[in-house]
Amino acid sequence: MQRHVVLVDPYSEAAEYANAFRDRGVEPVAVLSTPAPLKSYLHGWKPDAFSATHFHDGDFAKLTRIVRGYDPVAIIPGNEHAVMLVDALIEELAPGAGNEPELSAARRDKWPMVQAVANAGIPHLRTFAAATEEEAADWLRETGLEGQALVLKPRCSGGTDGVHKVEAGEDWRLPFRQLLGSVNMFDLANDSILIQEFASGTEFVVDTYSVNGELGLSAVVQYSKSTRGNRIGVYDAEDYLHPDDPLVSVLGTYTRQVAQAVGIRTGCTHTEIMLTDRGPRLIEIAARLDGGCAQQAARLATGDSQIDRTVRHHLDSAFVPGFEIVQPTRVAWLSAANSGTMHNAEVLDAVRELASFQKLGCRYPNGSQVPRTEDLFTTLGWVLLSTPDQDVLDQDTKRVREIEAKVVIDPLGP
């Protein structure tokens, strides 16, 4: 009898789940949590990778019958938009096999997320969700954050979509008004806005895979990001830390505390942490795999990935507590300083000649109108570099920036 795995919202790199399970004789089935593919993810939607695709029209009972009919070996979220639907499906079809159902919102919505962390006594950033300017102003006054640097962002988006920094002394009301009522990258209305004290430090990602409440580290990555105006989520690069790095222990311990607070028991988790002079502080935790090109990069850096661990867990009952570094690996993100028409995307092909080159991901062909890069969704693409020689990696990164600077984007006319 044919075995199946159900993948919910398997956009972008999550579609690799399909091949990984199919290689083990398990047919992948896609479920999209919306009646049509999300517009923001159309470039990463690969329906041909799946033996069948179903769209959720809001009738949960009908969807449950469909999924039950496949008798799946696992039900897995492909991105954060799928987290709560997957929780509900697992609890209906295999009670107790997933993450703690009563904390489902804390694994998706950043407001209950920070509340769960605070209730567990874990150090966190002062945060509030406001539906009106008056609520926001009252909270800022009560907490003594008036006039301080702040971050404003949607509660239920991702990829630094809509994340705004307000400098100390600047008026937070304009970005608040811009965000409130807007529609985010998951086609959800931002009917309240998260306001958070600004955390200065170095940002890290801790990727994990848990089995029956045991959390295993799969990778720890240091982000390099820059600002563009009041947007603070412009991705520059990602580097993998060695497991012996003292920071790995600090970040791993903190991640385990946060994961427990939000009810993580099984599956992938992607946690973003700011390491401040007061210690680690949570940016967000998401109960899904690390996206973008992270799985490809992780295989090069560690010889493993969250996708590979997922397959081994569900088919072999395997669990790995930690990770190793096979060779230095870096993701160099490509950005556009302005919006307009890109005329010479072919210049990026020069990166293929670099000694450490592994893969180029470019989102736009020649002649495309491209947005100014302000977050993960508006990057031009990425270059994946990996080599045993760290010096070569650093030299090639400089060359990537030289090549990137040759891209011509003509501003659009008035």
Side-chain angles (χ1 to χ4, degrees), residues 298-321:
R299 286 189 181 115
L300 290 166
T302 72
D304 203 357
S305 74
Q306 289 175 308
I307 289 177
D308 300 325
R309 293 187 185 214
T310 302
V311 173
R312 296 198 305 268
H313 165 210
H314 291 292
L315 302 186
D316 306 326
S317 300
F319 170 73
V320 180

Side-chain angles (χ1 to χ4, degrees), residues 89-357:
L89 286 169
I90 292 176
E91 188 61 17
E92 181 70 23
L93 299 175
N99 294 319
E100 294 182 28
E102 64 274 13
L103 288 167
S104 183
R107 297 186 290 272
R108 174 69 183 101
D109 186 328
K110 297 176 181 65
W111 177 224
M113 182 186 299
V114 76
Q115 289 177 302
V117 171
N119 291 339
I122 301 169
H124 60 281
L125 298 173
R126 287 174 289 178
T127 306
F128 183 67
T132 66
E133 289 183 41
E134 291 73 20
E135 288 180 352
D138 289 345
W139 180 76
L140 290 170
R141 184 172 56 255
E142 292 166 4
T143 54
L145 287 174
E146 281 185 313
Q148 302 299 308
L150 303 168
V151 172
L152 276 63
K153 55 188 172 183
R155 288 171 53 172
C156 294
S157 195
T160 64
D161 167 42
V163 178
H164 287 71
K165 181 185 179 184
V166 179
E167 298 288 354
E170 286 186 346
D171 187 0
W172 54 268
R173 294 177 184 270
L174 180 58
F176 185 93
R177 292 168 188 163
Q178 291 174 335
L179 284 173
L180 189 64
S182 64
V183 176
N184 64 34
M185 290 296 181
F186 294 104
D187 292 342
L188 300 172
N190 297 318
D191 51 12
S192 67
I193 306 303
L194 207 72
I195 305 176
Q196 194 169 67
E197 64 176 314
F198 175 73
S200 179
T202 303
E203 189 173 352
F204 295 87
V205 162
V206 181
D207 286 334
T208 64
Y209 194 87
S210 299
V211 176
N212 297 328
E214 288 189 84
L215 185 144
L217 295 180
S218 60
V220 178
V221 179
Q222 181 173 334
Y223 272 153
S224 298
K225 290 184 180 180
S226 57
T227 60
R228 184 158 286 144
N230 65 354
R231 304 302 296 274
I232 62 174
V234 180
Y235 288 69
D236 292 326
E238 301 177 26
D239 288 277
Y240 286 76
L241 269 61
H242 194 279
D244 292 337
D245 190 314
L247 291 179
V248 170
S249 177
V250 173
L251 296 166
T253 297
Y254 184 80
T255 299
R256 285 186 174 89
Q257 294 171 347
V258 171
Q260 184 174 12
V262 301
I264 297 292
R265 295 198 71 257
T266 190
C268 298
T269 307
H270 173 70
T271 308
E272 297 180 349
I273 298 169
M274 188 69 73
L275 188 58
T276 73
D277 56 7
R278 296 179 295 160
R281 296 292 185 270
L282 179 69
I283 302 300
E284 66 176 273
I285 184 168
R288 47 81 176 172
L289 86 168
D290 193 349
C293 57
Q295 302 301 306
Q296 300 170 63
R299 286 189 181 115
L300 290 166
T302 72
D304 203 357
S305 74
Q306 289 175 308
I307 289 177
D308 300 325
R309 293 187 185 214
T310 302
V311 173
R312 296 198 305 268
H313 165 210
H314 291 292
L315 302 186
D316 306 326
S317 300
F319 170 73
V320 180
F323 67 96
E324 62 179 356
I325 290 296
V326 176
Q327 64 181 17
T329 299
R330 176 174 295 149
V331 180
W333 292 89
L334 304 173
S335 66
N338 59 275
S339 61
T341 304
M342 182 166 62
H343 289 297
N344 62 338
E346 70 278 359
V347 300
L348 294 173
D349 286 333
V351 302
R352 301 179 188 278
E353 305 302 320
L354 301 175
S356 63
F357 173 79

